[in-house]
Amino acid sequence: MQWLNENMLIGFTDKRGTAWHYRTDLQGAEPNHYPGAIPVADVKRRLFDSRPDEGVPEGNGPFRRSAPDWRRR
């Protein structure tokens, strides 16, 4: 529930009401519900303002590839 309240942005709540997962106490530092359209700046900042971590994927599944051995070059 907390993830939904911090990572989903809900617009036009004046017309549609709040989402089923809406909990005021789980909103975090700022609300995720907007009475009108969700501002583009908020979408960029809150949902896409991250940087990928660098590294080799880990896992034990059947499709796991081993890390390249750069020493052989």
Side-chain angles (χ1 to χ4, degrees):
M1 293 295 281
Q2 185 160 357
W3 187 92
L4 290 171
N5 277 278
E6 292 177 352
N7 295 289
M8 300 296 292
L9 301 181
I10 312 299
F12 296 104
T13 58
D14 280 352
K15 293 181 182 179
R16 302 181 322 158
T18 59
W20 65 268
H21 59 77
Y22 180 74
R23 301 290 184 278
T24 304
D25 58 322
L26 298 177
Q27 291 291 303
E30 57 187 313
N32 71 335
H33 280 58
Y34 296 83
I38 303 167
V40 174
D42 279 10
V43 173
K44 288 180 180 179
R45 179 179 53 80
R46 293 179 71 174
L47 301 182
F48 297 108
D49 189 28
S50 62
R51 297 182 188 272
D53 286 337
E54 192 173 312
V56 176
E58 296 181 15
N60 295 323
F63 302 108
R64 182 173 192 263
R65 294 183 180 178
S66 60
D69 187 355
W70 301 108
R71 293 170 287 170
R72 288 196 249 171
R73 292 187 178 189

